[in-house]
Amino acid sequence: MAREGQIKVQSEKIFPIIKKWLYSDKDIFLRELVSNASDAIKKLERLNAIGEADTGEEKGRIEIQIDPEAKTLSVSDNGIGMTEDEVEKYITQIAFSGAEDFIEKYKDKTDAEAGIIGHFGLGFYSAFMVSDSVEIDTLSYQPGAKPVHWVSDGSDTYEIGEGARECHGTTITLHIGEDSKEFLEEFRLREMLHKYCHFMPYEIYFYPKKKDLSQKEEKSGEESKTEEKPVNNTQPLWLKKPKDCTKEEYESFYREVFMDFNPPLFWIHLNVDYPFNLKGILYFPQQSNKLQVMPGEIKLYNNQVYIADNIKEVVPEYLMLLKGVIDCPDLPLNVSRSFLQNDGDVQKISRHITKKVSDKLHSVFEEDRASFEGYWEDIAPFIKFGCIKDEKFYDRVKDIVLFKTLNHDYRTLEEYRKENEGQIFYVTDENVQAQYIRLFQENGMNAVLLTHAIDSHFISFLEYKESGLKFARIDSDLSDSMKTDGEKPDEEAVKALCEQFKAAVGKEDLDVQAENLKSKETPAIILVSEYERRLNDMSAMYGGMFPAGAQAKTTLVLNAQNDIVQKITSLPEEQKPLVCKYVYDLAMLSNQRLSADELSEFMKRSSELLKLAVFSQRAE
Ligand code: ADP
Ligand code: MG
């Protein structure tokens, strides 16, 4: 006879609340039920192993079935099962009190935090997120146990009584609610099984069409049994010993998990027994887009049960640019952020992973520098981001950070500084800064290419860490080696010339200087203050932190060695402004800084000059 019971919770509204809060991760119920099934099988295996149970050699097996007509979804296992007392204890009392704690703790939280709450899961009771009612049919493995049937419609009452199950194990049947019909669709279920159950340790079979349970073993016949394929891979590669894994295996596992058909650059197989348990594989992906960093994906598992992606408390944020799987049985299945933040093990795990990653980078660098250089453009954003985020990581990898030079070879910071004295000039765009690059190369000077969005942060970070280190963009300063030692131009003459330029260009605040440049052909160049430009870049990036729109100070450097510049003062008065402006235009053009209006003015001046040239020829 079925007996009714009262669920002991203060609020009868517990289920509507659960439904609302867990909404964002509704499909997590499947993981919870399948992992309970998996736990039940494991418990029975242990009991068999120590002689406490004797249920034979039968393989652990989980079956998932949907019946769109009856609107049911069931999860069935051949595990340990439950007696009536156990159902009372584990389902009615304990689990409910867990749910109650949850409600207590989070009742004041807003919907905005639903995402976090989604990571809790609620074990068995998450089934009510998608169901009008839930049934349990279970038979304990214990000899002479009676089958039990339990049903609850998600209010505060339930019914418990004798069931009909014949073999040990448990079947949970969900009567799917009207607003959750998606969970009766084969495609949706397959997708969820792939996400949550892909590496579960016991075989999972999916029956999208109702399978007649009475036909089970006897009548299905041998052939159809051999055809059956589990939907999961019970032996993921991370369980294998690293020394037994081949390159092909690592690469095909990568494809299987991440659906990324560009092979990874290299990988790290994590395998720790002490002081905590951890297994996993981290891959360094190729970056298909060299300018933008593609987010990676670190999947976290607990004994092959998927927990979540990209939990930054376990895996440092910058490692999320990698792709990988981490299986850590010491983590609870229902990860809550606050738990992870305060857990010492979690911090140890995070440190361990960081160390392994830097060790691997070092070994590639030391054992095969050419390959390391080949990988550099792909791994650089990750390494630089890591350095900025984690000083310990920086200390570990700073000696292997590479800089690509104008000659397109790679140098470590130390190597580069041995070859090049003073500040380190850098190029952010080879096209835009082509004129400066030419000037540098004419003078036998080198610079490094820092073209990635993260580089501006990275060089500021390096300057802060390494005293005496200074970076300057190639258009921000003149190096002494670009000047000749020739006699200084006459001070008075220079002053007059500078005034001439200021007046001609019509910019009172224009800073004009004259230098003896080795490259005689260059009449003048523009220099842009490194410091002010960086401030501007930052305010453009963060908007509002600094006064926006301000122009970085620019300086016009006239080349006293250039014959046009030398000639200016002796030109007829009316020609001076035109030539001065033109020299200025050319310098600005090399810096690619003419606005549309300025450019059309420049065109006008060009034709004027052309006219002059043409007419002076005729006069000769
Ligand atoms: P947890 O799995 O964290 O203990 P759950 O709410 O998921 O919490 O499950 C509560 C309890 O119900 C489990 O600890 C287990 O004792 C029992 N249980 C749930 N599902 C099964 C099952 N399929 N077979 C046997 N026992 C189960
Ligand atoms: Mg559970």
Side-chain angles (χ1 to χ4, degrees):
M1 263 307 285
R3 172 171 74 68
E4 280 188 18
Q6 181 89 20
I7 290 167
K8 296 183 200 64
V9 281
Q10 281 155 3
S11 162
E12 72 275 20
K13 292 199 179 62
I14 185 165
F15 294 114
I17 294 171
I18 291 174
K19 279 185 185 185
K20 183 170 158 245
W21 274 343
L22 296 179
Y23 193 77
S24 64
D25 274 11
K26 233 177 170 186
D27 60 2
I28 220 158
F29 78 88
L30 188 68
R31 178 193 79 181
E32 295 298 327
L33 296 182
V34 176
S35 71
N36 281 351
S38 168
D39 289 346
I41 293 168
K42 188 183 267 169
K43 282 179 197 159
L44 185 59
E45 275 183 356
R46 286 215 190 106
L47 291 178
N48 273 316
I50 59 170
E52 292 276 311
D54 185 18
T55 55
E57 294 291 288
E58 196 191 2
K59 234 174 149 185
R61 177 184 174 98
I62 298 168
E63 296 185 351
I64 292 162
Q65 186 171 307
I66 45 178
D67 182 344
E69 270 160 47
K71 300 199 175 77
T72 57
L73 184 163
S74 67
V75 178
S76 185
D77 67 69
N78 58 355
I80 191 170
M82 286 179 276
T83 63
E84 184 170 336
D85 284 352
E86 285 167 340
V87 173
E88 284 284 11
K89 193 167 154 204
Y90 297 135
I91 299 293
T92 318
Q93 291 169 18
I94 293 186
F96 259 95
S97 65
E100 226 182 336
D101 284 350
F102 173 82
I103 298 286
E104 258 315 296
K105 233 167 143 182
Y106 288 96
K107 63 175 174 226
D108 300 325
K109 296 281 152 84
T110 58
D111 277 353
E113 281 165 276
I116 304 174
I117 291 163
H119 284 292
F120 274 82
L122 264 180
F124 171 73
Y125 280 93
S126 61
F128 285 98
M129 291 192 296
V130 299
S131 313
D132 291 335
S133 68
V134 177
E135 287 181 74
I136 303 176
D137 280 289
T138 181
L139 176 64
S140 166
Y141 76 98
Q142 293 170 31
K146 287 203 176 69
V148 183
H149 177 258
W150 180 97
V151 59
S152 172
D153 64 0
S155 67
D156 61 346
T157 58
Y158 63 95
E159 227 179 79
I160 190 167
E162 202 167 308
R165 199 183 159 96
E166 285 172 9
C167 40
H168 63 83
T170 303
T171 300
I172 310 286
T173 306
L174 314 185
H175 295 267
I176 298 294
E178 194 54 31
D179 56 353
S180 300
K181 279 197 294 211
E182 61 186 288
F183 301 116
L184 294 169
E185 283 163 24
E186 174 176 355
F187 179 79
R188 179 77 171 102
L189 261 287
R190 286 198 189 278
E191 177 192 72
M192 286 154 63
L193 286 167
H194 183 81
K195 176 174 173 193
Y196 291 119
C197 307
H198 195 56
F199 297 115
M200 288 268 194
Y202 300 102
E203 291 184 354
I204 300 172
Y205 294 88
F206 178 47
Y207 302 102
K209 294 270 145 34
K210 191 168 164 61
K211 183 183 114 178
D212 189 349
L213 286 170
S214 66
Q215 285 194 358
K216 213 176 168 182
E217 310 296 352
E218 304 87 57
K219 290 176 205 162
S220 60
E222 278 304 308
E223 301 116 294
S224 67
K225 254 198 122 177
T226 50
E227 274 171 24
E228 249 191 347
K229 264 184 67 186
V231 295
N232 57 331
N233 169 3
T234 58
Q235 294 294 319
L237 192 62
W238 71 72
L239 296 177
K240 243 174 134 172
K241 289 205 183 74
K243 67 172 172 45
D244 299 333
C245 301
T246 65
K247 177 170 180 272
E248 283 68 32
E249 282 176 313
Y250 283 118
E251 291 183 347
S252 80
F253 185 71
Y254 178 79
R255 276 195 304 274
E256 176 187 346
V257 180
F258 301 104
M259 305 286 170
D260 179 350
F261 292 88
N262 292 316
L265 301 169
F266 52 94
W267 46 85
I268 304 168
H269 195 142
L270 303 161
N271 193 346
V272 197
D273 297 322
Y274 183 83
F276 47 82
N277 271 303
L278 180 89
K279 287 188 170 61
I281 306 173
L282 293 178
Y283 292 93
F284 288 75
Q286 288 185 43
Q287 298 286 341
S288 46
N289 182 341
K290 303 285 178 203
L291 290 179
Q292 213 185 340
V293 184
M294 295 307 289
E297 199 180 343
I298 307 273
K299 293 176 176 293
L300 200 60
Y301 296 81
N302 169 322
N303 278 322
Q304 298 172 240
V305 180
Y306 173 78
I307 301 178
D309 277 349
N310 302 347
I311 295 197
K312 67 173 188 302
E313 285 75 9
V314 181
V315 186
E317 203 183 343
Y318 58 92
L319 289 183
M320 311 274 196
L321 298 179
L322 305 182
K323 291 185 178 173
V325 289
I326 291 177
D327 190 346
C328 188
D330 299 335
L331 292 175
L333 191 54
N334 299 322
V335 192
S336 84
R337 290 265 141 95
S338 57
F339 167 83
L340 290 173
Q341 270 154 4
N342 299 318
D343 190 71
D345 276 348
V346 171
Q347 282 156 25
K348 264 183 246 154
I349 292 169
S350 171
R351 273 203 296 277
H352 177 82
I353 295 173
T354 306
K355 182 171 175 326
K356 284 288 169 193
V357 169
S358 53
D359 286 353
K360 176 72 189 185
L361 291 169
H362 265 280
S363 75
V364 178
F365 176 84
E366 271 135 37
E367 285 158 24
D368 187 358
R369 168 113 180 211
S371 296
F372 188 80
E373 291 181 358
Y375 301 146
W376 181 252
E377 301 304 328
D378 288 287
I379 62 176
F382 155 74
I383 291 181
K384 291 171 181 175
F385 188 46
C387 287
I388 295 169
K389 286 279 167 187
D390 178 353
E391 305 212 351
K392 280 209 188 75
F393 183 71
Y394 171 68
D395 288 335
R396 288 180 193 280
V397 301
K398 63 179 174 189
D399 297 335
I400 59 171
V401 169
L402 294 183
F403 293 88
K404 192 177 185 180
T405 74
L406 287 183
N407 312 322
H408 287 205
D409 48 23
Y410 290 93
R411 295 284 181 269
T412 65
L413 188 58
E414 198 186 311
E415 291 163 354
Y416 188 83
R417 290 179 92 183
K418 266 192 199 140
E419 297 165 5
N420 301 274
E421 284 172 5
Q423 54 189 352
I424 298 181
F425 287 98
Y426 64 95
V427 170
T428 53
D429 187 321
E430 279 183 278
N431 286 325
V432 172
Q433 289 145 10
Q435 294 306 318
Y436 294 85
I437 294 173
R438 184 184 51 79
L439 204 63
F440 263 56
Q441 286 179 325
E442 277 173 12
N443 287 289
M445 302 229 347
N446 209 347
V448 298
L449 299 173
L450 294 173
T451 53
H452 206 277
I454 195 163
D455 283 320
S456 65
H457 295 270
F458 186 60
I459 57 174
S460 299
F461 170 80
L462 285 180
E463 287 170 337
Y464 156 77
K465 293 294 288 181
E466 307 293 319
S467 67
L469 183 61
K470 228 181 128 341
F471 284 90
R473 201 166 77 176
I474 196 161
D475 62 349
S476 70
D477 204 355
L478 287 177
S479 159
D480 286 338
S481 48
M482 285 154 71
K483 301 172 194 166
T484 61
D485 302 328
E487 66 185 81
K488 274 259 150 212
D490 174 60
E491 242 177 76
E492 280 305 306
V494 166
K495 221 174 146 197
L497 188 63
C498 290
E499 288 309 318
Q500 190 79 61
F501 266 88
K502 270 188 209 177
V505 173
K507 286 187 176 154
E508 258 317 298
D509 55 349
L510 181 71
D511 189 31
V512 189
Q513 293 170 10
E515 296 282 357
N516 286 319
L517 296 185
K518 278 184 193 160
S519 301
K520 283 197 171 154
E521 293 311 307
T522 308
I525 60 169
I526 291 285
L527 296 181
V528 183
S529 158
E530 174 78 9
Y531 173 74
E532 288 178 24
R533 199 207 75 243
R534 282 199 208 179
L535 273 187
N536 285 350
D537 287 353
M538 270 206 279
S539 71
M541 212 179 292
Y542 298 113
M545 247 170 78
F546 305 95
Q551 279 284 335
K553 188 179 149 214
T554 50
T555 304
L556 178 69
V557 179
L558 302 171
N559 183 5
Q561 296 290 310
N562 176 265
D563 42 12
I564 298 174
V565 172
Q566 285 168 350
K567 199 79 183 265
I568 286 176
T569 36
S570 54
L571 281 174
E573 211 51 47
E574 70 278 9
Q575 277 183 14
K576 279 183 188 170
L578 178 66
V579 177
C580 285
K581 269 193 203 153
Y582 206 84
V583 166
Y584 173 75
D585 286 341
L586 287 178
M588 287 295 270
L589 262 186
S590 297
N591 201 267
Q592 306 226 344
R593 282 158 57 99
L594 286 189
S595 67
D597 283 350
E598 288 167 333
L599 198 62
S600 64
E601 286 293 314
F602 169 74
M603 303 304 279
K604 252 194 239 161
R605 279 193 280 282
S606 296
S607 61
E608 245 177 275
L609 274 173
L610 201 59
K611 241 187 261 168
L612 267 177
V614 171
F615 288 120
S616 68
Q617 209 147 65
R618 236 209 304 205
E620 265 163 26

